[in-house]
Amino acid sequence: MTISDVKKALNCKVFCGEDLMDQEIHSACGSDMMSDVLAYVKDQSVLLTGLVNPQVVRTADMMDMLCIVFVRGKEPDQMMINLAQSRGIVLMNTSLRMFDACGALWDSGLRGGHKSDE
Amino acid sequence: MNNTVKLHYIVDGEDFTRAGEASADVKKNLRKLGVPPDVIRKVAIALYEGEINMVIHANGGVIDVEVSPECISMALKDQGKGIEDVEKAMQEGYSTAPDEVRSLGFGAGMGLPNMKKYTDSMKIESTVGVGTNVYMTVSIS
Ligand SMILES: Nc1ncnc2c1ncn2[C@@H]1O[C@H](COP(=O)(O)OP(=O)(O)OP(=O)(O)O)[C@@H](O)[C@H]1O
Ligand SMILES: [Mg+2]
Protein backbone atom coordinates (compact mmCIF):
# COMPACT_ATOMS: atom_id res chain seq x y z
CA MET A 1 0.00 0.00 0.00
CA THR A 2 0.98 3.65 -0.31
CA ILE A 3 1.03 6.54 2.17
CA SER A 4 -2.20 7.70 0.48
CA ASP A 5 -3.83 4.42 1.52
CA VAL A 6 -2.73 5.01 5.12
CA LYS A 7 -4.27 8.46 4.94
CA LYS A 8 -7.55 6.97 3.75
CA ALA A 9 -7.57 4.13 6.27
CA LEU A 10 -7.04 6.49 9.22
CA ASN A 11 -8.85 9.51 7.82
CA CYS A 12 -5.71 11.61 8.27
CA LYS A 13 -5.04 15.29 8.08
CA VAL A 14 -1.76 15.96 6.23
CA PHE A 15 0.69 18.60 7.55
CA CYS A 16 3.46 18.18 5.00
CA GLY A 17 4.62 15.91 2.22
CA GLU A 18 1.44 16.03 0.14
CA ASP A 19 3.67 15.35 -2.89
CA LEU A 20 5.19 12.23 -1.30
CA MET A 21 1.96 10.30 -0.81
CA ASP A 22 2.50 7.79 -3.62
CA GLN A 23 5.44 6.07 -1.94
CA GLU A 24 5.02 2.37 -1.28
CA ILE A 25 5.17 1.26 2.34
CA HIS A 26 5.55 -2.30 3.54
CA SER A 27 5.27 -2.18 7.32
CA ALA A 28 4.62 0.09 10.27
CA CYS A 29 5.33 0.40 13.98
CA GLY A 30 3.65 2.19 16.87
CA SER A 31 5.51 3.59 19.88
CA ASP A 32 5.73 6.57 22.20
CA MET A 33 9.29 5.65 23.18
CA MET A 34 11.88 6.79 20.67
CA SER A 35 14.41 4.66 22.57
CA ASP A 36 12.44 1.57 21.53
CA VAL A 37 12.02 2.74 17.95
CA LEU A 38 15.79 3.14 17.68
CA ALA A 39 16.44 -0.22 19.30
CA TYR A 40 13.82 -2.47 17.72
CA VAL A 41 12.66 -1.00 14.43
CA LYS A 42 14.20 -2.44 11.27
CA ASP A 43 12.66 -1.40 7.98
CA GLN A 44 9.28 -0.10 8.99
CA SER A 45 8.43 2.96 6.96
CA VAL A 46 5.53 4.36 9.00
CA LEU A 47 5.70 5.44 12.64
CA LEU A 48 2.51 5.85 14.65
CA THR A 49 3.07 7.80 17.84
CA GLY A 50 1.38 9.84 20.53
CA LEU A 51 4.60 11.72 21.24
CA VAL A 52 4.97 15.17 19.71
CA ASN A 53 8.44 16.72 19.70
CA PRO A 54 11.19 17.32 17.12
CA GLN A 55 13.02 14.16 18.22
CA VAL A 56 10.19 12.10 16.75
CA VAL A 57 11.04 13.51 13.32
CA ARG A 58 14.78 13.13 13.91
CA THR A 59 14.35 9.53 15.03
CA ALA A 60 12.25 8.72 11.96
CA ASP A 61 14.89 10.37 9.79
CA MET A 62 17.68 8.28 11.32
CA MET A 63 15.64 5.13 10.67
CA ASP A 64 14.91 6.18 7.06
CA MET A 65 11.17 6.18 7.73
CA LEU A 66 8.86 7.83 5.21
CA CYS A 67 5.85 8.86 7.25
CA ILE A 68 4.80 9.78 10.81
CA VAL A 69 1.19 9.57 11.98
CA PHE A 70 0.31 11.31 15.25
CA VAL A 71 -2.56 9.59 17.01
CA ARG A 72 -5.32 11.16 19.15
CA GLY A 73 -5.40 14.23 16.90
CA LYS A 74 -2.07 15.58 18.11
CA GLU A 75 -0.61 18.37 16.02
CA PRO A 76 3.06 18.98 15.19
CA ASP A 77 4.39 22.54 15.59
CA GLN A 78 5.96 24.58 12.79
CA MET A 79 9.49 23.56 13.74
CA MET A 80 8.60 19.90 13.35
CA ILE A 81 6.86 20.54 10.05
CA ASN A 82 9.89 22.41 8.71
CA LEU A 83 12.19 19.65 9.88
CA ALA A 84 10.06 16.93 8.29
CA GLN A 85 9.83 18.89 5.07
CA SER A 86 13.61 19.22 4.86
CA ARG A 87 14.00 15.49 5.43
CA GLY A 88 11.27 14.43 3.00
CA ILE A 89 9.07 12.89 5.69
CA VAL A 90 5.26 12.99 5.51
CA LEU A 91 3.53 14.24 8.69
CA MET A 92 -0.14 13.39 9.29
CA ASN A 93 -2.50 12.95 12.21
CA THR A 94 -5.57 10.88 12.94
CA SER A 95 -8.22 11.31 15.60
CA LEU A 96 -7.98 7.58 16.37
CA ARG A 97 -6.16 6.31 19.45
CA MET A 98 -3.03 4.22 19.09
CA PHE A 99 -4.75 0.83 19.44
CA ASP A 100 -7.51 1.67 16.98
CA ALA A 101 -5.13 3.27 14.48
CA CYS A 102 -2.86 0.20 14.50
CA GLY A 103 -5.93 -2.04 14.18
CA ALA A 104 -7.26 -0.09 11.21
CA LEU A 105 -3.94 -0.39 9.39
CA TRP A 106 -3.71 -4.10 10.22
CA ASP A 107 -7.20 -4.48 8.74
CA SER A 108 -5.99 -2.82 5.55
CA GLY A 109 -3.30 -5.46 5.28
CA LEU A 110 -0.31 -3.66 6.78
CA ARG A 111 1.92 -5.63 9.17
CA GLY A 112 4.65 -4.92 11.68
CA GLY A 113 7.36 -6.27 9.45
CA HIS A 114 8.67 -8.88 11.88
CA LYS A 115 9.34 -12.46 10.88
CA SER A 116 6.51 -13.78 13.08
CA ASP A 117 3.92 -11.84 11.07
CA GLU A 118 4.63 -13.72 7.87
CA MET B 1 36.81 8.74 -2.03
CA ASN B 2 40.54 8.28 -1.44
CA ASN B 3 41.15 10.91 1.18
CA THR B 4 39.99 10.92 4.74
CA VAL B 5 37.09 13.27 5.39
CA LYS B 6 36.86 14.86 8.83
CA LEU B 7 33.72 16.32 10.37
CA HIS B 8 33.52 18.27 13.62
CA TYR B 9 30.47 19.33 15.63
CA ILE B 10 29.74 21.17 18.83
CA VAL B 11 26.64 19.74 20.52
CA ASP B 12 24.57 22.25 22.51
CA GLY B 13 23.57 20.76 25.83
CA GLU B 14 20.85 23.32 26.49
CA ASP B 15 18.65 22.68 23.48
CA PHE B 16 17.01 19.26 23.37
CA THR B 17 15.03 20.16 20.25
CA ARG B 18 18.28 20.43 18.29
CA ALA B 19 19.85 17.23 19.58
CA GLY B 20 20.46 15.10 16.52
CA GLU B 21 21.50 17.90 14.15
CA ALA B 22 25.08 16.63 14.07
CA SER B 23 24.00 13.06 13.35
CA ALA B 24 21.71 14.25 10.57
CA ASP B 25 24.55 16.24 9.02
CA VAL B 26 26.89 13.24 9.19
CA LYS B 27 24.22 11.16 7.49
CA LYS B 28 23.91 13.73 4.72
CA ASN B 29 27.68 13.83 4.21
CA LEU B 30 27.99 10.04 4.10
CA ARG B 31 25.29 9.92 1.43
CA LYS B 32 27.20 12.47 -0.63
CA LEU B 33 30.37 10.41 -0.26
CA GLY B 34 28.59 7.37 -1.62
CA VAL B 35 28.86 5.26 1.55
CA PRO B 36 26.55 2.18 1.32
CA PRO B 37 23.07 2.76 2.87
CA ASP B 38 23.36 -0.05 5.44
CA VAL B 39 26.60 1.46 6.75
CA ILE B 40 25.01 4.91 6.88
CA ARG B 41 22.07 3.51 8.86
CA LYS B 42 24.38 1.96 11.49
CA VAL B 43 26.41 5.16 11.85
CA ALA B 44 23.29 7.32 12.00
CA ILE B 45 21.65 5.29 14.77
CA ALA B 46 24.78 4.89 16.88
CA LEU B 47 25.74 8.53 16.57
CA TYR B 48 22.23 9.81 17.26
CA GLU B 49 22.00 7.71 20.42
CA GLY B 50 25.37 9.11 21.50
CA GLU B 51 24.38 12.66 20.68
CA ILE B 52 21.13 12.34 22.63
CA ASN B 53 23.07 10.94 25.59
CA MET B 54 25.39 13.95 25.48
CA VAL B 55 22.44 16.30 25.68
CA ILE B 56 20.31 14.51 28.27
CA HIS B 57 23.08 13.22 30.54
CA ALA B 58 26.09 15.50 30.01
CA ASN B 59 25.21 19.06 28.98
CA GLY B 60 26.54 18.70 25.46
CA GLY B 61 30.03 18.15 24.07
CA VAL B 62 31.92 17.67 20.83
CA ILE B 63 31.68 15.06 18.09
CA ASP B 64 34.44 14.18 15.63
CA VAL B 65 33.84 11.86 12.72
CA GLU B 66 36.49 10.54 10.34
CA VAL B 67 35.52 8.84 7.13
CA SER B 68 38.20 6.80 5.38
CA PRO B 69 37.67 4.35 2.51
CA GLU B 70 37.73 1.47 5.01
CA CYS B 71 35.85 2.74 8.01
CA ILE B 72 33.99 5.47 9.85
CA SER B 73 35.38 6.48 13.23
CA MET B 74 33.36 8.50 15.72
CA ALA B 75 34.56 10.20 18.90
CA LEU B 76 32.06 11.81 21.29
CA LYS B 77 33.55 13.79 24.15
CA ASP B 78 31.76 15.56 26.96
CA GLN B 79 32.57 17.15 30.30
CA GLY B 80 29.44 15.96 31.99
CA LYS B 81 28.92 14.10 35.20
CA GLY B 82 30.55 10.89 33.97
CA ILE B 83 29.38 7.28 34.31
CA GLU B 84 29.99 5.59 37.63
CA ASP B 85 29.73 1.99 36.46
CA VAL B 86 30.19 1.64 32.71
CA GLU B 87 29.48 -2.10 32.71
CA LYS B 88 26.13 -1.49 34.39
CA ALA B 89 25.32 1.41 32.06
CA MET B 90 25.87 -0.93 29.10
CA GLN B 91 23.10 -3.25 30.27
CA GLU B 92 19.76 -3.04 28.48
CA GLY B 93 17.22 -1.22 30.60
CA TYR B 94 19.67 0.54 32.89
CA SER B 95 18.90 4.25 32.95
CA THR B 96 19.30 7.15 35.35
CA ALA B 97 17.20 9.42 33.14
CA PRO B 98 14.62 11.48 35.08
CA ASP B 99 10.89 11.23 34.30
CA GLU B 100 11.07 14.46 32.35
CA VAL B 101 13.42 12.77 29.84
CA ARG B 102 11.12 9.76 29.67
CA SER B 103 8.19 12.01 28.80
CA LEU B 104 10.25 13.17 25.81
CA GLY B 105 10.46 9.59 24.52
CA PHE B 106 13.90 8.63 25.82
CA GLY B 107 15.39 7.03 28.90
CA ALA B 108 14.65 3.34 28.36
CA GLY B 109 18.27 2.40 28.92
CA MET B 110 18.61 1.16 25.36
CA GLY B 111 21.05 3.70 23.92
CA LEU B 112 24.45 2.32 24.87
CA PRO B 113 23.56 -1.33 24.09
CA ASN B 114 22.15 -0.13 20.77
CA MET B 115 25.35 1.76 19.98
CA LYS B 116 27.31 -1.42 20.65
CA LYS B 117 24.96 -3.45 18.47
CA TYR B 118 25.29 -1.18 15.46
CA THR B 119 29.05 -0.61 15.55
CA ASP B 120 32.06 -2.85 14.97
CA SER B 121 33.97 -1.48 17.95
CA MET B 122 33.01 0.69 20.88
CA LYS B 123 35.04 1.98 23.80
CA ILE B 124 33.90 4.17 26.70
CA GLU B 125 36.26 6.15 28.92
CA SER B 126 34.49 7.88 31.75
CA THR B 127 35.50 9.56 34.97
CA VAL B 128 32.89 10.73 37.45
CA GLY B 129 32.90 14.51 37.69
CA VAL B 130 35.23 14.86 34.69
CA GLY B 131 33.40 13.56 31.66
CA THR B 132 32.88 10.79 29.16
CA ASN B 133 34.53 9.85 25.87
CA VAL B 134 32.86 7.34 23.58
CA TYR B 135 34.76 5.94 20.59
CA MET B 136 33.00 3.90 17.91
CA THR B 137 33.88 2.55 14.50
CA VAL B 138 31.81 1.06 11.70
CA SER B 139 33.71 -0.64 8.88
CA ILE B 140 32.77 -0.21 5.25
CA SER B 141 33.01 -3.65 3.74
N1 LIG C 1 27.51 10.91 28.07
C1 LIG C 1 27.07 10.45 29.26
N2 LIG C 1 27.37 11.12 30.41
C2 LIG C 1 26.93 10.68 31.60
N3 LIG C 1 26.19 9.58 31.77
C3 LIG C 1 25.85 8.87 30.67
C4 LIG C 1 26.25 9.27 29.36
N4 LIG C 1 25.79 8.36 28.48
C5 LIG C 1 25.12 7.44 29.21
N5 LIG C 1 25.15 7.74 30.52
C6 LIG C 1 24.58 6.94 31.63
O1 LIG C 1 24.37 5.61 31.17
C7 LIG C 1 22.97 5.28 31.32
C8 LIG C 1 22.56 4.37 30.19
O2 LIG C 1 22.64 5.06 28.94
P1 LIG C 1 21.72 4.59 27.72
O3 LIG C 1 21.97 5.48 26.58
O4 LIG C 1 21.93 3.13 27.51
O5 LIG C 1 20.25 4.78 28.29
P2 LIG C 1 19.42 6.13 28.49
O6 LIG C 1 20.09 7.24 27.78
O7 LIG C 1 19.19 6.33 29.94
O8 LIG C 1 18.05 5.76 27.77
P3 LIG C 1 17.82 5.63 26.18
O9 LIG C 1 19.16 5.65 25.53
O10 LIG C 1 17.09 4.35 26.00
O11 LIG C 1 17.00 6.80 25.79
C9 LIG C 1 22.26 6.61 31.33
O12 LIG C 1 21.01 6.54 31.96
C10 LIG C 1 23.25 7.48 32.11
O13 LIG C 1 23.17 7.21 33.49
MG1 LIG D 1 20.63 7.01 25.75
Side-chain angles (χ1 to χ4, degrees), chain A residues 35, chain B residues 49 53-54 56-58 78 81-83 89 94-97 106-113 132:
Chain A
S35 294
Chain B
E49 292 274 21
N53 277 356
M54 271 183 156
I56 64 181
H57 303 298
D78 68 58
K81 60 183 188 304
I83 304 173
Y94 177 83
S95 176
T96 60
F106 292 88
M110 295 303 297
L112 292 175
T132 302

Side-chain angles (χ1 to χ4, degrees), chain A residues 34 38 42 55 58 61 64, chain B residues 16 19 27 41 48 105 114:
Chain A
M34 295 306 108
L38 288 160
K42 269 207 86 186
Q55 296 310 328
R58 295 187 190 282
D61 181 35
D64 300 311
Chain B
F16 175 77
K27 195 180 175 201
R41 170 86 68 95
Y48 180 59
N114 212 22

Side-chain angles (χ1 to χ4, degrees), chain A residues 4-18:
Chain A
S4 260
D5 296 325
V6 173
K7 179 189 168 186
K8 266 179 239 145
L10 304 179
N11 197 10
C12 289
K13 170 174 167 194
V14 182
F15 297 97
C16 69
E18 201 71 73

Side-chain angles (χ1 to χ4, degrees), chain A residues 43-64:
Chain A
D43 280 311
Q44 288 81 340
S45 30
V46 178
L47 170 63
L48 288 98
T49 187
L51 185 72
V52 185
N53 69 45
Q55 296 310 328
V56 176
V57 181
R58 295 187 190 282
T59 299
D61 181 35
M62 290 304 137
M63 309 303 288
D64 300 311

Side-chain angles (χ1 to χ4, degrees), chain A residues 25-36:
Chain A
I25 48 150
H26 301 285
S27 57
C29 70
S31 180
D32 289 352
M33 277 306 271
M34 295 306 108
S35 294
D36 287 344

Side-chain angles (χ1 to χ4, degrees), chain B residues 78-89:
Chain B
D78 68 58
Q79 285 159 19
K81 60 183 188 304
I83 304 173
E84 215 171 274
D85 185 341
V86 171
E87 212 177 302
K88 206 164 154 191

Side-chain angles (χ1 to χ4, degrees), chain B residues 22 59 79 138:
Chain B
N59 258 306
Q79 285 159 19
V138 173

